[in-house]
Amino acid sequence: MTRKPRFDDPAAREALREKLAGLGEHSLRKSYYPALQARLAELERFRALLDQGSEAIFLLDLPTGTLIDVSESACQQLGVPRERLLGRPLAELLGPDSAQPLAAALHVEDAPGRRTVAGRLHRADGSDFPVEMTVRAVTLGESRHAVVVARDTTERDRLMARLALTDRLASLGTLAAGVAHEVNNPLAFVVGNLDYLRAGVEQLRALVTGGDPAAADLRGVLAEMDSALSDAAEGADRVRRIVRDLKVFSRPEEDLRVPLDVRRVVDGALRLAATEIRHRARLVRRYEEVPRVLANEGRLSQVFTNLLVNAAQAITEGDAGNNEITVSTWTEGRRAVIEVRDTGGGIPADVLPRVFDPFFTTKPVGVGSGLGLSVCHGIVEQLGGDIEVTSVPGAGTAFRVRLPATDRPLQAPAPKASPASLPPARILVIDDDPLAGTSLARILSPPHHVVTTTRARDALAWLRRGDAFDVILCNLMMPDMGGMDLYAALQADVPEQARRVVFVTAGGFTPRARQFLRDSGAPWVEKPIPMSSLYAAIAAAAGRPPGR
């Protein structure tokens, strides 16, 4: 049996050229030499095209599935020379879960055309990598073959995983805003009732006089009650601050920039990162005076929270006594400087230039997304600042943020008011949570006359019928009819009562609610409402002239 020459072999092609050249003026040369030369040139162009591609390409004999030819890229990716691949079944190079799908795809008689299957290819060093294999039947002469094009999907799979994580983080932000809203609702009446009880205890202490033992004992009990209520109020206020910081962090898409004291923003980030820090390091604050910066509070909180969590995760858990995370602020010229320094393991010199690259992380799977520092870098640059990192392996890392100063003043605090400064008013409270309405009624009456309802539609019917109130405290987001729809109806039908509305919100976390609060111009206070803010809002609404 005569062995057919292999024209994919450069040596075989060269040997053919020499034979053709030796034919002289023979009629074969005259008839076939130009055509054979053109065919050889075509084969060389095909081979060059085949070998320069990034995909691994395999030509299989059917039905045996053995390799007849492979591309140079396949040899490089597998780490195996061509001569060691030819004649082997492709199934030997696949992972155990990949051979069966490929075998099914090779039954082209049953499923003609192109088919795509996923699998894994083994390298010569024992490692493997994911591939997407496209299988198609071809006929060469009278023989049936299959072309398998395998594309390495390692980077694609990694990117898809990162994008999925990013999507989960975005969903988590939305969820956090919703959770903050739901926490603030019950927290509002908890705080309100605590304030009411503390005021009642003060009144009782003022009434208990005399030097007899019973009065002394009662004064002691009232003092303990007041102390317990103060502790409970402090705990509730701590929850309020955490929820506020959580809401700020969950709104990074907003870019409303206001003058900020960065130390206050850092303190909010520290509360969010407290759980990560507590078991790993002591926290040290070194705050010097810094200028105001013009920034979005949510985005800036995201920067500092990421830096603090990153610092904490650089330190092994369980050795908090021997490690520190130091947060410092100072001024450099016209810039505020914020530094987060840890005593963790540091960053290797060859890795340091890449720490701000998107999706780059040295943390184990499930610990870091590879997005945090990249996001920090982008936010700081958008604010006109810069962020730099220095690290000594084994001795810790420092991230330093510099932000340009602004001359715009901080927002003025709301004017304070007290119950004594408010004349008696007729107040309508609209809140779908009956406990919230009851709490406000308990606090405000007397001296005010308070009417409560859980349905905005009922309130609208009363107001259209002619009932009038000095102040309308209305929850922003409610089922059936919300505060925004009620406000629109009042502006159309009873505009003088629309001017008495003060919105009470546990956090307008939907885009529509946030847009409404920005554009409507209606006053609003956020749950849980500090009493001074509540009294100030009532005084402003009750004293507003009807024509305004």
Side-chain angles (χ1 to χ4, degrees):
M1 178 177 176
T2 304
R3 185 175 180 179
K4 294 181 180 179
R6 295 186 50 81
F7 295 117
D8 62 323
D9 186 354
R13 293 198 297 273
E14 186 59 32
L16 179 59
R17 281 198 189 90
E18 292 177 359
K19 289 181 179 180
L20 289 172
L23 291 176
E25 296 298 325
H26 192 273
S27 59
L28 181 63
R29 181 183 181 191
K30 292 180 179 180
S31 303
Y32 297 108
Y33 183 73
L36 288 171
Q37 286 285 67
R39 183 59 174 164
L40 282 172
E42 183 181 350
L43 287 172
E44 288 177 344
R45 289 195 300 270
F46 173 74
R47 171 55 64 182
L49 183 64
L50 187 69
D51 288 341
Q52 293 305 313
S54 59
E55 290 86 0
I57 303 177
F58 306 92
L59 180 62
L60 280 66
D61 175 61
L62 289 180
T64 63
T66 56
L67 293 169
I68 298 174
D69 201 358
V70 295
S71 66
E72 183 61 28
S73 178
C75 299
Q76 293 176 358
Q77 292 183 46
L78 298 173
V80 181
R82 178 182 280 111
E83 57 269 18
R84 287 178 50 192
L85 291 174
L86 299 180
R88 293 177 59 184
L90 179 59
E92 291 183 1
L93 307 175
L94 298 174
D97 296 331
S98 308
Q100 184 57 40
L102 177 64
L106 291 176
H107 287 293
V108 291
E109 292 83 0
D110 300 331
R114 182 180 299 169
R115 300 192 66 188
T116 301
V117 295
R120 301 189 72 86
L121 282 174
H122 287 299
R123 297 188 181 95
D125 61 7
S127 63
D128 58 23
F129 58 98
V131 291
E132 182 180 77
M133 295 179 288
T134 301
V135 182
R136 185 156 194 167
V138 295
T139 301
L140 299 178
E142 297 180 356
S143 302
R144 296 285 288 168
H145 299 77
V147 176
V148 178
V149 180
R151 180 178 292 107
D152 187 343
T153 61
T154 302
E155 289 302 321
R156 188 193 69 181
D157 293 348
R158 183 180 293 119
L159 178 61
M160 293 300 294
R162 298 300 187 192
L163 290 175
L165 177 59
T166 304
D167 186 62
R168 289 198 298 273
L169 291 174
S171 299
L172 182 61
T174 303
L175 178 63
V179 169
H181 177 272
E182 293 306 311
V183 170
N184 267 342
N185 270 319
L187 189 60
F189 56 77
V190 168
V191 171
N193 285 324
L194 285 173
D195 286 335
Y196 175 80
L197 289 172
R198 291 181 70 186
V201 168
E202 286 298 320
Q203 291 175 357
L204 288 174
R205 290 175 67 182
L207 293 174
V208 176
T209 58
D212 60 278
D217 289 343
L218 185 55
R219 283 196 298 272
V221 171
L222 290 174
E224 283 298 316
M225 290 177 63
D226 186 60
S227 178
L229 289 171
S230 296
D231 291 346
E234 170 60 28
D237 189 60
R238 189 179 301 177
V239 173
R240 180 190 63 80
R241 291 196 301 268
I242 292 171
V243 170
R244 174 194 171 277
D245 296 331
L246 188 62
K247 287 194 299 182
V248 165
F249 187 79
S250 68
R251 297 176 185 171
E253 75 282 356
E254 296 181 358
D255 198 23
L256 178 65
R257 300 184 184 185
V258 296
L260 295 172
D261 182 340
V262 293
R263 293 168 297 185
R264 186 179 67 82
V265 182
V266 170
D267 283 339
L270 283 168
R271 286 192 288 272
L272 288 177
T275 303
E276 288 282 353
I277 295 172
R278 185 178 299 117
H279 304 294
R280 300 173 187 265
R282 300 186 306 276
L283 178 63
V284 179
R285 290 182 176 90
R286 292 176 181 164
Y287 290 174
E288 297 180 12
E289 288 296 321
V290 287
R292 298 180 299 276
V293 302
L294 191 65
N296 174 272
E297 186 174 1
R299 290 182 181 273
L300 206 53
S301 174
Q302 188 175 3
V303 170
F304 298 140
T305 303
N306 276 334
L307 294 181
L308 289 165
V309 170
N310 195 68
Q313 291 178 347
I315 299 171
T316 303
E317 189 174 357
D319 195 18
N322 293 318
N323 286 286
E324 285 186 356
I325 292 177
T326 304
V327 183
S328 307
T329 67
W330 67 88
T331 302
E332 286 183 2
R334 290 278 298 162
R335 295 195 296 180
V337 183
I338 307 93
E339 182 184 81
V340 177
R341 181 180 294 272
D342 65 70
T343 57
I347 303 173
D350 60 328
V351 171
L352 199 61
R354 299 188 59 196
V355 295
F356 295 117
D357 291 353
F359 301 120
F360 177 78
T361 180
T362 58
K363 298 174 184 176
V365 175
V367 176
S369 68
L371 286 171
L373 292 178
S374 174
V375 170
C376 291
H377 186 271
I379 292 173
V380 171
E381 281 201 334
Q382 288 174 1
L383 295 175
D386 63 78
I387 180 172
E388 66 177 14
V389 56
T390 56
S391 186
V392 178
T397 302
F399 285 90
R400 188 171 295 175
V401 176
R402 297 182 181 88
L403 296 170
T406 179
D407 293 325
R408 286 172 55 178
L410 297 173
Q411 292 179 338
K416 292 187 177 181
S418 65
S421 66
L422 300 176
R426 193 162 188 259
I427 300 174
L428 173 61
V429 176
I430 310 169
D431 199 308
D432 59 305
D433 190 328
L435 292 178
T438 301
S439 173
L440 284 173
R442 186 178 290 129
I443 294 169
L444 296 173
S445 59
H448 306 293
H449 175 66
V450 181
V451 177
T452 65
T453 179
T454 59
R455 285 175 47 83
R457 291 192 185 278
D458 291 344
L460 180 60
W462 300 340
L463 295 168
R464 282 173 170 167
R465 194 171 57 220
D467 284 358
F469 294 87
D470 300 305
V471 182
I472 300 173
L473 299 176
C474 180
N475 194 4
L476 182 65
M477 299 177 65
M478 295 179 287
D480 189 24
M481 172 179 274
M484 293 176 281
D485 297 326
L486 173 66
Y487 188 71
L490 290 178
Q491 284 185 311
D493 300 340
V494 200
E496 65 277 8
Q497 287 294 285
R499 286 186 283 271
R500 303 297 178 182
V501 173
V502 176
F503 285 106
V504 180
T505 174
F509 65 92
T510 67
R512 182 192 175 207
R514 293 199 295 269
Q515 187 73 28
F516 173 82
L517 292 176
R518 284 196 297 265
D519 297 345
S520 67
W524 59 279
V525 291
E526 193 164 33
K527 296 179 181 179
I529 316 167
M531 289 301 101
S532 59
S533 299
L534 177 62
Y535 298 141
I538 291 173
R544 194 173 295 130
R548 289 184 61 188

